[in-house]
Amino acid sequence: MKKLLTTAIVLAIFYVSHAIAGGDDTETLVRQDWAFEGMTGTFDREDLQHGFQVYKEVCAACHGIKRIRFRELSSLGYNEDEIKAIAAGYEVKVGPDDMGEMYDRAARPSDAFPPPYANDKAARAANNGALPPDLSLISKARVGGADYLYSLLTGYGGEVPAGQEVSEGLYYNPWFPGHQIAMVPPLQEGIVTYSDGSSPSIAEMAKAVTTFLAWAAEPEMETRKQSGIEALIYLAVFSLLMYLVMRQVWSRVEK
Amino acid sequence: MTKATAPGKTITRRNFLTLTAGAVGAIGTAKLIWPFINSMNPSADVLAQSTTDVDLSPIAEGQGITVIWRGKPIFIRHRTKQEIAEAERTPMADLLDPQPDSDRVKKGKDQWLVLIGICTHLGCIPTGQAPNSNRGKYDGWYCPCHGSLYDTSGRVRRGPAPTNLVVPPYVFTDGSNIRIGVEEETTNV
Amino acid sequence: MSSKVTRISNWIDYRLPIISMMKHELNEYPTPKNLNYWWNFGSLAGIVLMVMIISGIFLAMHYDPNTKNAFDSVEHIMRDVNGGWFLRYLHMNGASMFFIVVYIHIFRGMYYGSYKYPRELLWILGVVILLLMMATAFMGYVLPWGQMSFWGATVITNLFSAFPFGDSIVEWLWGGYSVDNPTLNRFFALHYLFPFLIVGVVFLHLIALHQHGSNNPLGIDRKEPRDSIPFHPYYTVKDLFGLGIFAFIWAFFIFFAPNFFGEPDNYIEADPLVTPPHIVPEWYFLPFYAILRSIPHKVAGVLAMVGAIFVLFFLPWLDTCKVRSAKFRPIYKKLFWLFVVNCFVLGFVGAHSPDEVFYYLGGMSNQELGQITTILYFAFFIIAVPLLGMFEKTTPLPASISEPVNRGGDRRKKSRQEAAA
């Protein structure tokens, strides 16, 4: 008992020290109840499709998702024909052909989303020297993950606090490191119309696109959690059985 | 085993428990091993990269080209009237792996022969594609590794190859374009 | 049927005695009967090592050690390879699990005096394994070629510049003028090699262990046959039970918090022109990193960090107390736990930026906290342990493992006797 207690204390110290270590600004983020959080969390299919639409119509102008292939959109609930149609709306550079020339052709499901700029230098040149990052992994690559993305997207327009400098061409955003961001406020009322004719609010768009980006970073999440539940149940049963076998075997040993 | 289980109740229970634990452990181990084995199977991106488009119009009659599909060479030959006739005339009895020529080409497009250019013996690539390369006795292909001969329909005429050159799944997307890797049914692209 | 198997195994064993050797070392091997659960961690470490090697080999089949492709190939594993995310998260979290198990194993050895006569070499081989593990883990962390990989590699390899001819050593390590493709290639080669070196040293560790057998919680030698029980089935089932619990924890991280031990920055591809604002090593290096940083002198800092591990080699001779187990060493026991807590504080210091100030510690800066805990770390080994060996009054040892007669005897046995009466 005493030993268990000590172990618990040691683990607690460890956890706390790690939590504090990773903490910094994240506790103040705008927290959301994400459907994909928790041990049984799954992505909301409607949010995913809406989020994809917001990405396509707003973010995609500057940000790529180069690690996502059109075929993976089946996870969003699209069927094969819909995916082919979506892919056909993009052009990818392939080749060389028999004349040695690169050429454009309509994208296929096996192709990745073509990036908005030919390379990083072109991207910087088009954006005042700032590089719009690829969004394929963004929710894993930022402290705070989905909550950070949501906070950032909804964090524009606040009053600039006294003493905060905001340079020419930059925008104030309390969630961005340094609080000045080169990204133009991306979400505006009425910028997107969903297929049911509704016009989402900024918060709704931010929630949808964040869900989409969380999926893009971790497309394996639903399978992972599903297998995880099975693995944990299995290991609990295995441990219990081994405990019983152990008790039985050890009953022969004189204390 | 039988000896040990015979006497007494406790021993039976003990064996039952041990056996159950052992079985559960074995199932778990098998479940754990599977992802390791499966990781060596073709990955999703490899499986998805499954089609190759070819424009047939530049291929002159009597000529052949080689394209790559799923990492394999694909022989495409624009057959002459004579070659087609030769393939159609051959009696089934003369073939090692009997198959009519009409089953190996698309209906109404029998000048186009599309084959996976890999000898069915041990995987070498037969000669006969380039204009002046050895086409063998049957005007088809000749495998330099072990001497197998194929005719103008890609059928094996002399061993050691056991079967005909394989016809890959392909469709005509229009009069002179084919897409290799797609079955007939899913032509709506 | 079974007689046929016996005949074949006898035939083999007569010529190559591996079967009787295994039977002797793993089956009949006499083990103290009073080992507690802290003794599970040795076999757990062995199992984790095997899982790491196997998962590593399968990952290597898909990984590409080229700066242009490394990051992409890891994402290829995560997104395209069948079960690839499982293999990678298993391996990634396995590194953390390995260190948790090994650190507990080391602390257990320190608590119960397992490094003392006649197990000094056993202990030293263990420290060698720890060093090899650290090198392996460090190089493995570079392979995904994320921002932390790159900058971790840069900072750690630059430690060597503190030594004479340092710049030449660092260039030699890099194979160039910065961490680049040659560095990644050699790190991959060595990351693949080192685990097999570890296996070799583990074998030596086991040979040394089996020479005198396991120590035990009482820290006294076995005196009579009934003090020992055969390893199988008693400790095989106990180890399997422990494995079940341990695998449960490991699986929890793999499936539900796979990036808990990781850094978000490592999901950004390495960029040699931008250093991330907070570079932190993996958690298992934090205490040593804290020692490095708390000393405001380059050479001294590096020496202190290296010394923090090398001091472990001398522990069997720093501790002159004949009593092994802390159970019978009241002062050592308290200092041991203080030492453990101190290691956690060092870890905390390592995770925070040096100029952070802690108001709940009376405005102490992280640097100062690091200096105090560094001094305490070394004071434990160099001052406290030798002094205790000389002056500590130990409590009486029991006569044997089977007859614990110290301090009112075994409570459970007493109550059993009472019940019988």
Side-chain angles (χ1 to χ4, degrees):
Chain A
M1 196 58 228
K2 208 175 132 200
K3 275 167 199 153
L4 268 177
L5 211 71
T6 344
T7 324
I9 293 169
V10 167
L11 282 175
I13 298 173
F14 175 65
Y15 180 73
V16 170
S17 65
H18 196 278
I20 296 170
D24 35 328
D25 287 342
T26 56
E27 41 307 337
T28 53
L29 289 172
V30 186
R31 296 252 179 244
Q32 296 294 302
D33 281 330
W34 299 106
F36 51 84
E37 275 177 343
M39 288 181 71
T40 52
T42 51
F43 294 114
D44 182 292
R45 289 293 175 280
E46 198 182 17
D47 273 354
L48 281 180
Q49 295 200 2
H50 284 163
F52 175 51
Q53 190 186 345
V54 174
Y55 164 76
K56 210 167 44 171
E57 294 176 12
V58 183
C59 322
C62 308
H63 296 278
I65 42 171
K66 63 177 177 184
R67 297 182 195 283
I68 316 298
R69 277 63 52 94
F70 292 99
R71 62 180 159 83
E72 293 173 80
L73 294 176
S74 63
S75 309
L76 269 56
Y78 293 113
N79 66 33
E80 209 176 313
D81 290 334
E82 287 168 323
I83 291 172
K84 278 182 180 161
I86 292 168
Y90 289 79
E91 293 220 312
V92 288
K93 202 166 248 344
V94 291
D97 61 13
D98 293 341
M99 303 311 290
E101 305 288 340
M102 302 300 280
Y103 61 100
D104 289 330
R105 66 154 166 76
R108 295 183 197 148
S110 61
D111 290 317
F113 276 82
Y117 301 105
N119 51 54
D120 284 0
K121 289 206 169 145
R124 281 188 195 278
N127 289 281
N128 263 334
L131 178 68
D134 185 87
L135 298 181
S136 311
L137 279 165
I138 202 78
S139 89
K140 268 164 129 182
R142 292 291 180 274
V143 178
D147 285 323
Y148 168 78
L149 298 182
Y150 180 86
S151 303
L152 189 83
L153 288 172
T154 54
Y156 285 92
E159 200 175 314
V160 181
Q164 172 69 50
E165 195 193 326
V166 179
S167 316
E168 178 77 33
L170 298 182
Y171 300 85
Y172 171 69
N173 192 316
W175 311 109
F176 193 71
H179 312 310
Q180 306 180 63
I181 188 168
M183 177 163 70
V184 180
L187 301 176
Q188 312 287 347
E189 300 277 347
I191 198 169
V192 169
T193 308
Y194 290 158
S195 56
D196 62 2
S198 66
S199 180
S201 67
I202 289 179
E204 282 165 346
M205 284 186 280
K207 183 160 175 274
V209 80
T210 303
T211 303
F212 171 72
L213 292 174
W215 166 81
E218 298 187 278
E220 89 297 344
M221 193 208 70
E222 288 176 354
T223 336
R224 169 157 60 75
K225 287 180 176 172
Q226 181 58 39
S227 333
I229 301 279
E230 287 166 24
L232 290 192
I233 291 172
Y234 168 80
L235 288 168
V237 172
F238 175 80
S239 303
L240 180 70
L241 277 171
M242 279 306 161
Y243 178 73
L244 294 176
V245 174
M246 181 182 74
R247 264 215 339 208
Q248 210 160 47
V249 169
W250 277 78
S251 65
R252 284 183 266 157
V253 179
E254 186 199 340
K255 279 280 170 346
Chain B
M1 261 309 152
T2 44
K3 235 186 215 167
T5 32
K9 224 176 177 179
T10 43
I11 292 178
T12 321
R13 195 181 143 231
R14 168 152 175 265
N15 279 356
F16 173 72
L17 197 58
T18 316
L19 286 175
T20 314
V24 169
I27 293 168
T29 315
K31 273 285 253 184
L32 177 66
I33 288 172
W34 174 242
F36 288 85
I37 308 284
N38 193 30
S39 73
M40 291 172 70
N41 275 321
S43 56
D45 56 330
V46 172
L47 291 174
Q49 288 270 347
S50 53
T51 61
T52 300
D53 289 337
V54 186
D55 180 6
L56 301 178
S57 51
I59 310 170
E61 202 175 286
Q63 298 233 308
I65 62 160
T66 308
V67 296
I68 289 176
W69 169 69
R70 290 183 186 169
K72 300 171 185 180
I74 300 294
F75 292 167
I76 301 172
R77 189 181 284 184
H78 191 170
R79 300 191 291 182
T80 59
K81 291 255 156 26
Q82 194 198 338
E83 284 170 335
I84 299 168
E86 207 179 303
E88 281 172 347
R89 252 197 340 258
T90 313
M92 288 296 123
D94 287 3
L95 298 173
L96 295 170
D97 178 17
Q99 193 181 22
D101 184 61
S102 56
D103 282 7
R104 298 175 59 77
V105 292
K106 301 285 174 203
K107 208 170 174 178
K109 301 276 188 188
D110 57 7
Q111 70 273 39
W112 296 109
L113 182 63
V114 181
L115 301 167
I116 296 178
I118 294 178
C119 178
T120 55
H121 179 220
L122 290 173
C124 295
I125 298 173
T127 64
Q129 281 299 95
N132 48 6
S133 71
N134 185 357
R135 289 188 169 188
K137 200 169 118 194
Y138 299 93
D139 297 327
W141 289 268
Y142 163 73
C143 182
C145 290
H146 304 98
S148 297
L149 293 173
Y150 298 92
D151 67 12
T152 55
S153 188
R155 296 172 297 196
V156 62
R157 301 301 290 270
R158 188 180 82 188
T163 54
N164 303 334
L165 290 177
V166 177
V167 178
Y170 70 98
V171 291
F172 276 88
T173 47
D174 60 42
S176 65
N177 280 285
I178 60 167
R179 175 165 293 169
I180 306 165
V182 197
E183 298 290 348
E184 202 78 59
E185 292 81 39
T186 56
T187 46
N188 53 329
V189 185
Chain C
M1 163 74 195
S2 68
S3 74
K4 212 172 206 170
V5 173
T6 320
R7 275 224 313 276
I8 295 171
S9 70
N10 284 346
W11 188 93
I12 295 171
D13 206 50
Y14 185 67
R15 288 152 183 86
L16 178 70
I18 41 167
I19 295 163
S20 55
M21 199 180 90
M22 270 165 54
K23 209 171 156 197
H24 183 69
E25 298 298 335
L26 296 173
N27 193 343
E28 298 156 354
Y29 173 62
T31 314
K33 71 177 181 186
N34 62 333
L35 300 187
N36 57 31
Y37 282 112
W38 296 114
W39 262 263
N40 276 53
F41 290 90
S43 73
L44 277 183
I47 293 168
V48 181
L49 176 62
M50 283 304 127
V51 174
M52 290 302 277
I53 288 180
I54 295 167
S55 56
I57 289 172
F58 279 83
L59 286 170
M61 294 178 191
H62 303 283
Y63 172 74
D64 185 353
N66 180 298
T67 52
K68 284 196 187 68
N69 304 333
F71 191 88
D72 289 346
S73 72
V74 172
E75 279 306 311
H76 164 68
I77 291 169
M78 293 297 292
R79 291 165 191 270
D80 290 331
V81 173
N82 303 301
W85 59 265
F86 170 72
L87 296 185
R88 188 195 168 219
Y89 281 155
L90 176 74
H91 198 76
M92 194 174 123
N93 287 287
S96 286
M97 292 295 138
F98 204 178
F99 275 96
I100 290 174
V101 167
V102 163
Y103 282 152
I104 293 176
H105 188 62
I106 294 170
F107 280 131
R108 191 270 286 152
M110 286 176 66
Y111 186 85
Y112 292 110
S114 301
Y115 48 82
K116 290 184 190 179
Y117 173 85
R119 298 185 182 85
E120 298 94 328
L121 276 179
L122 173 61
W123 171 263
I124 287 175
L125 288 166
V127 181
V128 172
I129 294 172
L130 175 67
L131 283 172
L132 287 172
M133 268 178 70
M134 288 177 150
T136 312
F138 160 66
M139 289 186 292
Y141 193 60
V142 177
L143 303 186
W145 207 244
Q147 275 287 68
M148 279 293 170
S149 301
F150 182 88
W151 292 102
T154 303
V155 169
I156 301 296
T157 47
N158 264 317
L159 290 177
F160 289 89
S161 66
F163 297 114
F165 309 107
D167 291 340
S168 317
I169 298 174
V170 173
E171 275 175 19
W172 175 77
L173 283 173
W174 287 341
Y177 302 109
S178 63
V179 173
D180 208 335
N181 202 45
T183 326
L184 181 61
N185 269 273
R186 63 190 61 185
F187 276 20
F188 178 60
L190 295 174
H191 181 71
Y192 205 118
L193 168 72
F194 274 36
F196 296 98
L197 297 185
I198 294 176
V199 170
V201 185
V202 165
F203 265 101
L204 297 178
H205 193 68
L206 285 176
I207 294 171
L209 172 72
H210 284 217
Q211 176 72 2
H212 292 283
S214 296
N215 182 31
N216 64 78
L218 294 174
I220 54 173
D221 291 331
R222 283 171 278 171
K223 297 196 176 72
E224 38 183 338
R226 66 183 176 133
D227 288 349
S228 300
I229 46 177
F231 190 83
H232 181 75
Y234 299 102
Y235 286 107
T236 35
V237 286
K238 197 176 179 181
D239 282 347
L240 281 171
F241 168 59
L243 174 64
I245 301 292
F246 172 72
F248 188 92
I249 298 168
W250 192 353
F252 175 81
F253 283 111
I254 294 171
F255 293 107
F256 298 103
N259 294 301
F260 177 80
F261 295 108
E263 287 293 328
D265 274 319
N266 227 28
Y267 282 107
I268 304 171
E269 195 168 353
D271 182 349
L273 301 179
V274 183
T275 309
H278 305 286
I279 319 185
V280 244
E282 288 285 83
W283 69 266
Y284 36 81
F285 292 134
L286 288 177
F288 303 104
Y289 188 61
I291 291 174
L292 168 79
R293 276 196 326 199
S294 56
I295 296 173
H297 182 272
K298 189 172 177 178
V299 180
V302 175
L303 286 177
M305 184 182 75
V306 176
I309 301 166
F310 273 76
V311 72
L312 292 174
F313 280 118
F314 301 98
L315 184 56
W317 294 278
L318 289 169
D319 185 354
T320 53
C321 180
K322 291 279 174 285
V323 174
R324 292 196 191 104
S325 175
K327 241 186 178 152
F328 309 109
R329 302 182 62 189
I331 306 174
Y332 175 79
K333 189 184 194 168
K334 289 203 180 71
L335 286 180
F336 169 82
W337 285 112
L338 285 177
F339 174 75
V340 173
V341 171
N342 190 58
C343 288
F344 278 101
V345 179
L346 274 171
F348 171 88
V349 170
H352 286 253
S353 133
D355 34 56
E356 226 166 296
V357 174
F358 305 112
Y359 295 102
Y360 47 85
L361 292 176
M364 185 189 283
S365 78
N366 194 30
Q367 171 119 31
E368 287 162 343
L369 183 62
Q371 285 165 348
I372 292 167
T373 42
T374 300
I375 290 168
L376 288 177
Y377 181 95
F378 285 104
F380 175 80
F381 287 108
I382 294 166
I383 301 169
V385 166
L387 282 181
L388 285 182
M390 282 182 257
F391 300 111
E392 189 175 28
K393 214 169 136 45
T394 56
T395 55
L397 294 174
S400 81
I401 290 173
S402 301
E403 295 292 336
V405 288
N406 64 316
R407 283 188 288 168
D410 183 2
R411 219 182 300 144
R412 198 182 299 173
K413 195 177 178 188
K414 215 178 179 184
S415 62
R416 218 189 305 138
Q417 280 165 343
E418 276 163 12

